[in-house]
């Protein structure tokens, strides 16, 4: 019998300070500047399952592993070339009329990646 563990869903907590000073046109001792301070907080449900990732901290790196992880491979070079070509085509179509009228229908507006489908869905936002 094969047992499937339930998919672990996590949340990312987000927040932002909101500060506002309301200055009175005519200040008096009983009506001075109001200083309002709020904190906007909410949680966003993770769209990618991170339960398969390890919590272990990687061990010390050797010189050969550092060099091999820093120097790009031929596959990395090809991915970079493709992504840069897509970005340049977007810039040309957005800023030059000729390219906009001629190539706007063939420009790749979204670079596909491993989690493209999951990241294309709408986020589930939970107010706190």
């Amino acid at each position: 019998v094969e047992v499937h563990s339930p998919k672990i869903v996590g949340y990312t907590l987000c927040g932002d300070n909101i500060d506002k000073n309301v200055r009175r046109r005519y200040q008096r001792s009983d009506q001075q500047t109001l200083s309002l301070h709020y904190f906007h907080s909410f949680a966003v449900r993770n769209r990618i399952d991170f339960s398969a990732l390890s919590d272990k901290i990687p061990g010390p790196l050797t010189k050969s592993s550092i060099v091999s992880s820093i120097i790009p491979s031929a596959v990395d070079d090809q991915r970079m070339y493709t992504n840069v070509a897509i970005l340049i085509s977007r810039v040309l179509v957005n800023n030059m009329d000729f390219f906009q009228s001629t190539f706007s229908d063939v420009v790749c507006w979204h670079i596909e990646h491993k989690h493209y489908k999951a990241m294309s869905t709408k986020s589930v936002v939970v107010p706190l």
Side-chain angles (χ1 to χ4, degrees), residues 77-91:
D77 289 341
Q78 184 58 40
R79 282 187 191 148
M80 179 64 79
Y81 179 78
T82 302
N83 290 342
V84 169
I86 290 171
L87 295 174
I88 290 172
S89 69
R90 290 180 193 171
V91 170

Side-chain angles (χ1 to χ4, degrees), residues 10-29:
Y11 288 85
T12 300
L13 299 177
C14 305
D16 192 15
N17 292 322
I18 302 171
D19 298 318
K20 181 170 177 105
N21 287 326
V22 180
R23 295 188 182 186
R24 308 286 182 163
R25 184 172 295 200
Y26 300 104
Q27 290 201 12
R28 300 186 321 212
S29 61

Side-chain angles (χ1 to χ4, degrees), residues 5-127:
S5 62
K7 183 177 179 181
I8 297 173
V9 176
Y11 288 85
T12 300
L13 299 177
C14 305
D16 192 15
N17 292 322
I18 302 171
D19 298 318
K20 181 170 177 105
N21 287 326
V22 180
R23 295 188 182 186
R24 308 286 182 163
R25 184 172 295 200
Y26 300 104
Q27 290 201 12
R28 300 186 321 212
S29 61
D30 62 334
Q31 289 189 355
Q32 296 181 358
T33 300
L34 289 176
S35 182
L36 305 173
H37 305 282
Y38 299 100
F39 187 76
H40 176 66
S41 60
F42 57 95
V44 178
R45 185 175 182 211
N46 293 337
R47 292 177 270 185
I48 308 296
D49 182 18
F50 294 109
S51 62
L53 296 177
S54 173
D55 289 335
K56 293 182 181 179
I57 298 172
L61 298 173
T62 62
K63 288 182 181 180
S64 62
S65 66
I66 292 174
V67 170
S68 65
S69 67
I70 293 176
I71 296 176
S73 66
V75 174
D76 293 332
D77 289 341
Q78 184 58 40
R79 282 187 191 148
M80 179 64 79
Y81 179 78
T82 302
N83 290 342
V84 169
I86 290 171
L87 295 174
I88 290 172
S89 69
R90 290 180 193 171
V91 170
L92 291 174
V93 167
N94 284 332
N95 296 305
M96 301 183 83
D97 293 334
F98 171 77
F99 289 100
Q100 187 174 17
S101 62
T102 310
F103 298 109
S104 63
D105 57 336
V106 294
V107 171
C108 176
W109 294 106
H110 300 283
I111 299 174
E112 293 197 16
H113 50 84
K114 182 178 175 182
H115 302 291
Y116 178 76
K117 285 188 178 183
M119 298 308 289
S120 297
T121 61
K122 186 170 174 67
S123 297
V124 176
V125 178
V126 180

